[in-house]
Amino acid sequence: MTDQSASRGRILVATRRLIEADGVEAVSMRKVAADVGLAPTAIYWHVGSREDLLHAVLDEMVADLPPITARGTGARDRIASVARAARQEFLEQVTTLQLATELGRGNELSFRTQVALAREMTAAGLEEQYRQRPPGELATRDLWAEVDDDDIDPAIREAMTGPTDTDALFTYSLDRLLDAVLD
Amino acid sequence: MTDQSASRGRILVATRRLIEADGVEAVSMRKVAADVGLAPTAIYWHVGSREDLLHAVLDEMVADLPPITARGTGARDRIASVARAARQEFLEQVTTLQLATELGRGNELSFRTQVALAREMTAAGLEEQYRQRPPGELATRDLWAEVDDDDIDPAIREAMTGPTDTDALFTYSLDRLLDAVLD
DNA sequence: ACCTGAACACCGTTCAAGT
DNA sequence: ACCTGAACACCGTTCAAGT
């Protein structure tokens, strides 16, 4: 159990409200303290530095995000629905993304989509193709190492955990795109 | 001619050095002033507020960027080389991108690529396809309105200036990608 | 365990005043 | 035109001290 004293909870709520109303830059220790009715220095006792505070709030915002779920029956429909859901989230959760980017945790959001996609691709039986050209963002590799989901094919997880040849991925994607566009 | 007093130039150089060494957050009016040998308040006379200062520095950094040029002879090769150059710039110019993002001008960098791509697509005679599904990032539209380049087809420029149906673009791109991946 | 007050070393910005 | 100094209203953070 994490520290769930009443004060700490109220501090997080106040900070989150500040962020959603006026952006991350509007968060100051003194303003948060005033909102909660404490001396500025009390914040440090409960959540640590300003950066620690922002990380704690981002944790809550990510936890509250609606899960990315696939809709439809066919493999193509389901994969497409995951992509659409990811785009939707990207458009709706601007402040969450801003905060995550500022804290160097932007890829945590794209990671949620990667997991959902991997689940659908396993169901579609795409392990072979997937293996040959492993997608995945450079730094999300570390996150994959901790995933333990029975619905995801071990081969895919292994490919995501191993080193990604980003150059090869780029070349492959570009080729496929040009195939589609150039008649 | 913009204000090119000796002091202003030295202020911009000092700020740029600070950014490249320790990131945007390391830029303070007092530090810049000390580097240049002026009182902090003198900065305001030459470049205005801190935000104005950062905008001016970004202008210089963008102007100094090597032009994105197409290599090769075939249309496919040339378009691919532009895409590769864009990716290269994205990987190399991290600080420029960070500054641009912080100032809400991130799309200015992608805009450079869009212009180069449009030039190649004109040469490849792709106006028709292009017209049907106009790419382009939402906010770069305004930038296109000011472009006057004889190497770019008027039809393409018109498509870029008009309103972009981002939903349609997304659906189209996703479909093509799934075509390529799903056997 | 929880909180306050004083204190330090910073900020951006305005403005009157100097040359 | 160019620059300074004083001043205001802010910051994040540490630390000794209180209960």
Coordinates of all heavy atoms in Angstrom, one line a residue, chain A residues 37-116:
Chain A
G37 N -4.7 24.0 2.1 CA -4.7 24.6 3.4 C -3.6 24.1 4.3 O -3.7 24.0 5.5
L38 N -2.4 24.0 3.7 CA -1.2 23.6 4.4 C -0.1 24.6 4.1 O -0.2 25.4 3.2 CB -0.7 22.2 4.0 CG -1.6 21.0 4.5 CD1 -1.0 19.7 3.9 CD2 -1.6 20.9 6.0
A39 N 1.0 24.6 4.9 CA 2.1 25.3 4.6 C 2.8 24.7 3.4 O 2.8 23.5 3.3 CB 3.1 25.4 5.8
P40 N 3.4 25.5 2.6 CA 4.1 25.0 1.4 C 5.1 23.8 1.7 O 5.2 22.9 1.0 CB 4.9 26.2 0.9 CG 4.1 27.4 1.3 CD 3.5 27.0 2.6
T41 N 5.7 24.0 2.8 CA 6.8 23.0 3.2 C 6.2 21.6 3.5 O 6.9 20.6 3.5 CB 7.6 23.5 4.3 OG1 6.7 23.9 5.4 CG2 8.5 24.6 3.9
A42 N 4.9 21.6 3.9 CA 4.2 20.3 4.2 C 4.2 19.4 3.0 O 4.2 18.1 3.1 CB 2.8 20.5 4.8
I43 N 4.1 20.0 1.8 CA 4.0 19.2 0.6 C 5.2 18.2 0.5 O 5.1 17.1 0.1 CB 3.9 20.1 -0.7 CG1 2.9 21.2 -0.5 CG2 3.6 19.3 -1.9 CD1 1.5 20.8 -0.5
Y44 N 6.3 18.8 0.8 CA 7.6 18.0 0.7 C 7.5 16.7 1.6 O 8.1 15.7 1.3 CB 8.8 18.8 1.0 CG 9.0 19.9 0.0 CD1 8.4 21.1 0.0 CD2 9.9 19.6 -1.1 CE1 8.6 22.0 -1.0 CE2 10.2 20.6 -2.0 CZ 9.5 21.8 -2.0 OH 9.7 22.7 -3.0
W45 N 6.9 16.9 2.7 CA 6.8 15.7 3.6 C 5.9 14.6 3.0 O 6.3 13.4 3.1 CB 6.2 16.2 5.0 CG 6.4 15.1 6.0 CD1 7.5 15.1 6.9 CD2 5.6 14.0 6.3 NE1 7.4 14.0 7.7 CE2 6.2 13.3 7.4 CE3 4.4 13.5 5.8 CZ2 5.7 12.1 7.9 CZ3 3.9 12.3 6.3 CH2 4.6 11.7 7.3
H46 N 4.9 15.0 2.3 CA 3.9 14.0 1.8 C 4.3 13.4 0.4 O 4.2 12.2 0.2 CB 2.5 14.6 1.7 CG 1.8 14.8 3.0 ND1 1.4 13.7 3.7 CD2 1.6 15.9 3.7 CE1 0.8 14.2 4.8 NE2 0.9 15.5 4.9
V47 N 4.8 14.3 -0.5 CA 5.0 13.8 -1.8 C 6.4 14.0 -2.4 O 6.8 13.6 -3.4 CB 4.0 14.3 -2.8 CG1 2.6 13.8 -2.6 CG2 4.0 15.8 -2.8
G48 N 7.2 14.7 -1.6 CA 8.6 15.1 -2.1 C 8.6 16.3 -3.0 O 7.7 17.1 -2.8
S49 N 9.5 16.3 -3.9 CA 9.8 17.5 -4.7 C 8.6 17.8 -5.7 O 7.7 16.9 -5.8 CB 11.1 17.4 -5.5 OG 10.9 16.4 -6.5
R50 N 8.7 18.9 -6.4 CA 7.7 19.2 -7.4 C 7.6 18.1 -8.5 O 6.5 17.7 -8.9 CB 8.0 20.6 -8.0 CG 6.9 21.1 -8.9 CD 7.3 22.4 -9.6 NE 7.4 22.2 -11.1 CZ 6.5 22.6 -12.0 NH1 5.6 23.4 -11.6 NH2 6.6 22.4 -13.2
E51 N 8.8 17.7 -8.9 CA 8.8 16.6 -9.9 C 8.2 15.3 -9.4 O 7.4 14.7 -10.1 CB 10.3 16.4 -10.3 CG 10.4 16.2 -11.8 CD 11.8 15.7 -12.2 OE1 12.8 16.2 -11.7 OE2 11.9 14.7 -13.0
D52 N 8.5 15.0 -8.2 CA 7.9 13.8 -7.6 C 6.4 13.9 -7.6 O 5.6 13.0 -7.9 CB 8.3 13.6 -6.1 CG 9.8 13.3 -6.0 OD1 10.4 12.7 -7.0 OD2 10.5 13.6 -5.0
L53 N 5.9 15.1 -7.2 CA 4.5 15.4 -7.2 C 3.8 15.2 -8.6 O 2.8 14.5 -8.7 CB 4.2 16.8 -6.7 CG 2.8 17.4 -6.8 CD1 1.8 16.6 -6.0 CD2 2.8 18.9 -6.4
L54 N 4.5 15.7 -9.6 CA 3.9 15.6 -11.0 C 3.9 14.1 -11.4 O 3.0 13.6 -12.0 CB 4.7 16.4 -11.9 CG 4.6 17.9 -11.7 CD1 5.5 18.7 -12.7 CD2 3.2 18.4 -11.8
H55 N 5.0 13.4 -11.0 CA 5.0 11.9 -11.4 C 3.8 11.2 -10.7 O 3.2 10.4 -11.3 CB 6.3 11.3 -10.9 CG 7.4 11.5 -11.9 ND1 7.4 10.8 -13.2 CD2 8.5 12.2 -11.9 CE1 8.5 11.2 -13.8 NE2 9.2 12.0 -13.1
A56 N 3.6 11.5 -9.5 CA 2.5 10.8 -8.7 C 1.1 11.1 -9.4 O 0.3 10.2 -9.5 CB 2.5 11.3 -7.3
V57 N 0.9 12.4 -9.8 CA -0.3 12.7 -10.5 C -0.5 12.0 -11.8 O -1.5 11.5 -12.1 CB -0.4 14.3 -10.6 CG1 -1.6 14.6 -11.5 CG2 -0.5 15.0 -9.3
L58 N 0.6 12.0 -12.6 CA 0.6 11.3 -13.9 C 0.2 9.8 -13.6 O -0.6 9.2 -14.4 CB 1.9 11.4 -14.6 CG 2.0 10.7 -15.9 CD1 0.9 11.1 -16.9 CD2 3.4 10.8 -16.6
D59 N 0.8 9.2 -12.6 CA 0.5 7.8 -12.3 C -1.1 7.6 -12.2 O -1.6 6.7 -12.7 CB 1.1 7.4 -11.0 CG 2.6 7.2 -11.2 OD1 3.1 7.0 -12.3 OD2 3.3 7.2 -10.1
E60 N -1.7 8.5 -11.4 CA -3.1 8.5 -11.2 C -3.9 8.7 -12.5 O -4.8 7.9 -12.8 CB -3.6 9.5 -10.2 CG -3.2 9.2 -8.8 CD -4.1 9.9 -7.8 OE1 -4.7 10.9 -8.2 OE2 -4.2 9.5 -6.6
M61 N -3.4 9.6 -13.4 CA -4.1 9.9 -14.6 C -4.0 8.7 -15.6 O -5.0 8.4 -16.2 CB -3.5 11.2 -15.3 CG -3.8 12.4 -14.5 SD -2.9 13.9 -15.2 CE -4.1 14.6 -16.3
V62 N -2.9 8.1 -15.6 CA -2.7 6.9 -16.5 C -3.6 5.8 -16.0 O -4.2 5.1 -16.8 CB -1.2 6.5 -16.6 CG1 -1.1 5.1 -17.2 CG2 -0.4 7.5 -17.3
A63 N -3.6 5.6 -14.7 CA -4.4 4.5 -14.1 C -5.9 4.7 -14.4 O -6.7 3.8 -14.6 CB -4.2 4.4 -12.6
D64 N -6.3 6.0 -14.5 CA -7.8 6.3 -14.7 C -8.1 6.2 -16.2 O -9.3 6.3 -16.5 CB -8.1 7.7 -14.2 CG -8.1 7.7 -12.7 OD1 -8.0 6.6 -12.1 OD2 -8.2 8.8 -12.1
L65 N -7.2 6.1 -17.1 CA -7.5 6.0 -18.5 C -8.3 4.8 -18.8 O -8.1 3.7 -18.3 CB -6.1 5.9 -19.3 CG -5.7 7.1 -20.2 CD1 -6.2 8.4 -19.6 CD2 -4.2 7.1 -20.3
P66 N -9.4 5.0 -19.7 CA -10.2 3.8 -20.0 C -9.3 2.8 -20.8 O -8.5 3.3 -21.6 CB -11.2 4.4 -20.9 CG -10.7 5.7 -21.4 CD -9.8 6.2 -20.3
P67 N -9.5 1.5 -20.6 CA -8.6 0.5 -21.2 C -8.9 0.6 -22.7 O -10.0 0.8 -23.2 CB -9.1 -0.8 -20.6 CG -10.5 -0.5 -20.1 CD -10.4 0.9 -19.7
I68 N -7.8 0.3 -23.5 CA -8.0 0.3 -25.0 C -8.5 -1.1 -25.3 O -7.7 -2.1 -25.1 CB -6.6 0.5 -25.7 CG1 -6.2 2.0 -25.3 CG2 -6.8 0.4 -27.2 CD1 -4.9 2.4 -26.0
T69 N -9.7 -1.2 -25.8 CA -10.3 -2.5 -26.1 C -10.6 -2.6 -27.6 O -11.0 -1.7 -28.3 CB -11.6 -2.8 -25.3 OG1 -12.4 -1.6 -25.5 CG2 -11.2 -3.0 -23.9
A70 N -10.4 -3.8 -28.1 CA -10.7 -4.1 -29.5 C -12.2 -4.4 -29.7 O -12.8 -5.0 -28.9 CB -9.9 -5.3 -30.0
R71 N -12.8 -3.8 -30.8 CA -14.2 -4.1 -31.1 C -14.3 -4.9 -32.5 O -13.3 -4.8 -33.3 CB -15.0 -2.8 -31.3 CG -15.4 -2.2 -30.0 CD -15.9 -0.7 -30.2 NE -15.5 0.1 -29.0 CZ -16.2 0.1 -27.9 NH1 -17.2 -0.6 -27.7 NH2 -15.8 1.0 -26.9
G72 N -15.4 -5.5 -32.7 CA -15.6 -6.2 -34.0 C -15.2 -7.7 -33.9 O -14.8 -8.1 -32.8
T73 N -15.4 -8.4 -35.0 CA -15.1 -9.8 -34.9 C -13.9 -10.2 -35.8 O -13.0 -10.9 -35.3 CB -16.4 -10.6 -35.4 OG1 -16.8 -10.0 -36.6 CG2 -17.5 -10.6 -34.4
G74 N -13.8 -9.7 -37.0 CA -12.7 -10.1 -37.9 C -11.4 -9.5 -37.3 O -11.4 -8.5 -36.6
A75 N -10.3 -10.1 -37.7 CA -9.0 -9.7 -37.2 C -8.7 -8.2 -37.7 O -8.3 -7.4 -36.9 CB -7.9 -10.6 -37.7
R76 N -9.0 -8.0 -39.0 CA -8.8 -6.7 -39.5 C -9.6 -5.6 -38.8 O -9.0 -4.5 -38.4 CB -9.1 -6.7 -41.0 CG -8.6 -5.4 -41.7 CD -9.2 -5.3 -43.1 NE -8.9 -4.0 -43.6 CZ -8.0 -3.7 -44.5 NH1 -7.3 -4.7 -45.0 NH2 -7.7 -2.5 -45.0
D77 N -10.8 -5.8 -38.6 CA -11.7 -4.9 -37.9 C -11.1 -4.6 -36.5 O -11.1 -3.5 -36.0 CB -13.1 -5.4 -37.8 CG -13.9 -5.2 -39.1 OD1 -13.3 -4.6 -40.0 OD2 -15.0 -5.7 -39.1
R78 N -10.7 -5.7 -35.8 CA -10.3 -5.5 -34.4 C -9.0 -4.7 -34.3 O -8.9 -3.8 -33.5 CB -10.1 -6.9 -33.7 CG -11.5 -7.6 -33.5 CD -11.3 -9.0 -32.9 NE -10.8 -8.9 -31.5 CZ -11.6 -8.6 -30.4 NH1 -12.9 -8.4 -30.6 NH2 -11.1 -8.6 -29.2
I79 N -8.1 -5.0 -35.2 CA -6.8 -4.3 -35.2 C -7.1 -2.8 -35.5 O -6.6 -1.9 -34.9 CB -5.8 -4.9 -36.2 CG1 -5.4 -6.2 -35.7 CG2 -4.6 -4.0 -36.4 CD1 -4.5 -7.0 -36.7
A80 N -7.9 -2.6 -36.5 CA -8.3 -1.2 -36.9 C -8.9 -0.5 -35.8 O -8.7 0.7 -35.5 CB -9.2 -1.2 -38.1
S81 N -9.8 -1.2 -35.0 CA -10.5 -0.5 -33.9 C -9.5 -0.1 -32.8 O -9.7 0.9 -32.1 CB -11.6 -1.4 -33.3 OG -11.0 -2.4 -32.5
V82 N -8.5 -0.9 -32.6 CA -7.4 -0.5 -31.6 C -6.7 0.7 -32.1 O -6.5 1.7 -31.3 CB -6.4 -1.7 -31.4 CG1 -5.2 -1.2 -30.6 CG2 -7.1 -2.8 -30.7
A83 N -6.4 0.8 -33.3 CA -5.7 2.0 -33.9 C -6.6 3.2 -33.7 O -6.1 4.3 -33.3 CB -5.3 1.7 -35.3
R84 N -7.9 3.0 -34.0 CA -8.8 4.2 -33.9 C -8.9 4.6 -32.4 O -8.9 5.8 -32.1 CB -10.1 3.8 -34.4 CG -10.4 4.3 -35.8 CD -11.9 4.1 -36.2 NE -12.2 2.7 -36.2 CZ -12.1 1.9 -37.3 NH1 -11.6 2.4 -38.4 NH2 -12.5 0.7 -37.2
A85 N -8.9 3.7 -31.5 CA -9.0 4.0 -30.1 C -7.8 4.8 -29.6 O -7.9 5.7 -28.9 CB -9.2 2.7 -29.3
A86 N -6.6 4.3 -30.1 CA -5.4 5.0 -29.8 C -5.4 6.5 -30.3 O -5.0 7.4 -29.6 CB -4.2 4.3 -30.4
R87 N -5.9 6.6 -31.5 CA -5.9 8.0 -32.1 C -6.9 8.8 -31.3 O -6.6 10.0 -30.9 CB -6.4 7.9 -33.5 CG -6.5 9.3 -34.2 CD -6.7 9.2 -35.7 NE -8.0 9.7 -36.0 CZ -8.3 10.9 -36.4 NH1 -7.3 11.8 -36.4 NH2 -9.4 11.3 -36.8
Q88 N -8.0 8.2 -30.9 CA -9.0 8.9 -30.1 C -8.4 9.4 -28.8 O -8.6 10.6 -28.4 CB -10.2 8.0 -29.9 CG -11.5 8.7 -29.5 CD -11.9 9.7 -30.7 OE1 -11.6 9.5 -31.8 NE2 -12.5 10.8 -30.3
E89 N -7.7 8.5 -28.1 CA -7.1 8.9 -26.9 C -6.1 10.0 -27.0 O -6.0 10.9 -26.2 CB -6.4 7.6 -26.3 CG -5.7 7.9 -25.0 CD -5.2 6.7 -24.3 OE1 -6.0 5.8 -24.0 OE2 -3.9 6.6 -24.1
F90 N -5.3 9.9 -28.1 CA -4.3 10.9 -28.4 C -5.0 12.3 -28.5 O -4.5 13.3 -28.1 CB -3.6 10.5 -29.7 CG -2.6 11.5 -30.1 CD1 -1.3 11.5 -29.6 CD2 -2.9 12.5 -31.1 CE1 -0.4 12.4 -30.0 CE2 -1.9 13.4 -31.5 CZ -0.7 13.4 -30.9
L91 N -6.1 12.3 -29.2 CA -6.8 13.6 -29.4 C -7.5 14.1 -28.2 O -7.6 15.3 -27.9 CB -7.9 13.4 -30.5 CG -7.3 13.2 -31.9 CD1 -8.4 12.9 -32.9 CD2 -6.4 14.3 -32.4
E92 N -8.0 13.2 -27.3 CA -8.8 13.6 -26.2 C -7.9 13.9 -25.0 O -8.1 14.9 -24.3 CB -9.8 12.5 -25.7 CG -11.0 12.5 -26.6 CD -11.8 11.2 -26.3 OE1 -11.5 10.5 -25.4 OE2 -12.8 10.9 -27.0
Q93 N -6.9 13.1 -24.7 CA -6.1 13.3 -23.5 C -4.9 14.2 -23.8 O -3.7 13.8 -23.5 CB -5.6 11.9 -23.0 CG -6.7 10.9 -22.8 CD -7.5 11.3 -21.6 OE1 -7.1 11.9 -20.7 NE2 -8.8 10.8 -21.6
V94 N -5.1 15.4 -24.2 CA -4.0 16.3 -24.5 C -3.2 16.6 -23.3 O -1.9 16.6 -23.3 CB -4.5 17.6 -25.2 CG1 -4.0 17.7 -26.6 CG2 -6.0 17.8 -25.1
T95 N -3.9 16.9 -22.2 CA -3.2 17.4 -21.0 C -2.3 16.2 -20.4 O -1.2 16.4 -20.0 CB -4.1 17.9 -19.9 OG1 -5.1 16.9 -19.7 CG2 -4.8 19.2 -20.3
T96 N -2.9 15.0 -20.4 CA -2.2 13.8 -20.0 C -0.9 13.7 -20.8 O 0.2 13.4 -20.2 CB -3.0 12.5 -20.1 OG1 -4.3 12.8 -19.5 CG2 -2.4 11.4 -19.3
L97 N -1.0 13.8 -22.1 CA 0.1 13.6 -23.0 C 1.2 14.7 -22.7 O 2.4 14.5 -22.7 CB -0.3 13.6 -24.4 CG 0.8 13.4 -25.5 CD1 1.4 12.0 -25.2 CD2 0.2 13.4 -26.9
Q98 N 0.7 16.0 -22.5 CA 1.6 17.1 -22.2 C 2.4 16.8 -21.0 O 3.6 16.9 -21.0 CB 0.8 18.4 -22.0 CG 1.7 19.6 -22.0 CD 1.1 20.7 -21.1 OE1 0.0 20.6 -20.6 NE2 1.9 21.8 -20.9
L99 N 1.7 16.4 -19.9 CA 2.4 16.1 -18.7 C 3.4 14.9 -18.8 O 4.5 15.0 -18.4 CB 1.3 15.7 -17.6 CG 1.9 15.3 -16.2 CD1 2.7 16.4 -15.6 CD2 0.7 14.9 -15.3
A100 N 2.9 13.9 -19.5 CA 3.8 12.7 -19.7 C 5.1 13.1 -20.5 O 6.2 12.7 -20.2 CB 3.1 11.6 -20.4
T101 N 4.9 13.9 -21.5 CA 6.0 14.4 -22.4 C 7.0 15.2 -21.5 O 8.2 14.9 -21.6 CB 5.5 15.2 -23.5 OG1 4.5 14.5 -24.3 CG2 6.7 15.6 -24.4
E102 N 6.4 16.1 -20.7 CA 7.3 16.9 -19.9 C 8.1 16.1 -18.9 O 9.2 16.5 -18.5 CB 6.4 17.9 -19.1 CG 7.2 19.1 -18.5 CD 6.5 20.4 -18.8 OE1 6.1 20.6 -20.0 OE2 6.5 21.3 -17.9
L103 N 7.5 15.0 -18.5 CA 8.2 14.1 -17.5 C 9.1 13.0 -18.2 O 9.6 12.2 -17.5 CB 7.2 13.5 -16.5 CG 6.5 14.5 -15.6 CD1 5.4 13.8 -14.8 CD2 7.5 15.2 -14.7
G104 N 9.1 13.1 -19.5 CA 9.9 12.1 -20.2 C 9.2 10.7 -20.2 O 9.9 9.7 -20.2
R105 N 7.9 10.7 -20.0 CA 7.2 9.4 -20.0 C 6.1 9.3 -21.1 O 5.1 8.6 -20.9 CB 6.5 9.2 -18.6 CG 7.5 9.0 -17.5 CD 6.9 9.1 -16.1 NE 5.8 8.2 -15.9 CZ 5.0 8.1 -14.8 NH1 5.2 9.0 -13.8 NH2 4.0 7.3 -14.8
G106 N 6.4 10.0 -22.2 CA 5.4 10.0 -23.2 C 5.1 8.6 -23.8 O 4.0 8.3 -24.2
N107 N 6.1 7.8 -23.9 CA 6.0 6.5 -24.5 C 5.1 5.6 -23.6 O 4.6 4.6 -24.2 CB 7.3 5.8 -24.8 CG 8.3 6.1 -23.6 OD1 7.9 6.5 -22.5 ND2 9.5 5.8 -23.8
E108 N 4.9 5.9 -22.4 CA 4.0 5.1 -21.6 C 2.6 5.0 -22.2 O 1.9 4.0 -22.1 CB 3.9 5.6 -20.2 CG 4.5 4.6 -19.1 CD 4.7 5.3 -17.8 OE1 3.8 5.4 -17.0 OE2 5.9 5.8 -17.6
L109 N 2.2 6.1 -22.8 CA 0.9 6.1 -23.4 C 0.8 5.3 -24.7 O -0.2 4.5 -24.9 CB 0.4 7.6 -23.7 CG 0.3 8.5 -22.5 CD1 -0.4 9.8 -22.8 CD2 -0.4 7.8 -21.3
S110 N 1.8 5.4 -25.5 CA 1.9 4.6 -26.7 C 2.0 3.1 -26.4 O 1.6 2.2 -27.1 CB 3.0 5.0 -27.6 OG 4.2 4.4 -27.3
F111 N 2.6 2.9 -25.2 CA 2.8 1.5 -24.8 C 1.5 0.8 -24.6 O 1.3 -0.4 -24.9 CB 3.7 1.5 -23.5 CG 3.8 0.1 -22.9 CD1 4.6 -0.9 -23.5 CD2 3.3 -0.2 -21.7 CE1 4.7 -2.1 -23.0 CE2 3.4 -1.5 -21.1 CZ 4.2 -2.4 -21.8
R112 N 0.5 1.5 -24.0 CA -0.8 0.9 -23.8 C -1.4 0.3 -25.1 O -2.0 -0.7 -25.2 CB -1.8 1.9 -23.2 CG -1.5 2.4 -21.8 CD -2.1 3.7 -21.5 NE -3.4 3.9 -22.1 CZ -4.6 3.5 -21.7 NH1 -4.6 2.9 -20.5 NH2 -5.7 3.8 -22.3
T113 N -1.2 1.1 -26.2 CA -1.7 0.7 -27.5 C -0.9 -0.5 -28.0 O -1.5 -1.5 -28.5 CB -1.5 1.8 -28.5 OG1 -2.1 3.0 -27.9 CG2 -2.2 1.5 -29.8
Q114 N 0.4 -0.5 -27.8 CA 1.2 -1.6 -28.2 C 0.8 -2.9 -27.6 O 0.7 -4.0 -28.3 CB 2.7 -1.4 -27.9 CG 3.4 -0.3 -28.7 CD 4.9 -0.2 -28.4 OE1 5.5 -1.2 -28.2 NE2 5.4 1.0 -28.5
V115 N 0.4 -2.9 -26.3 CA 0.0 -4.1 -25.7 C -1.3 -4.6 -26.3 O -1.5 -5.8 -26.6 CB -0.2 -3.9 -24.2 CG1 -0.8 -5.1 -23.5 CG2 1.1 -3.6 -23.5
A116 N -2.3 -3.7 -26.5 CA -3.6 -4.1 -27.1 C -3.4 -4.6 -28.5 O -4.0 -5.6 -28.9 CB -4.5 -2.9 -27.1

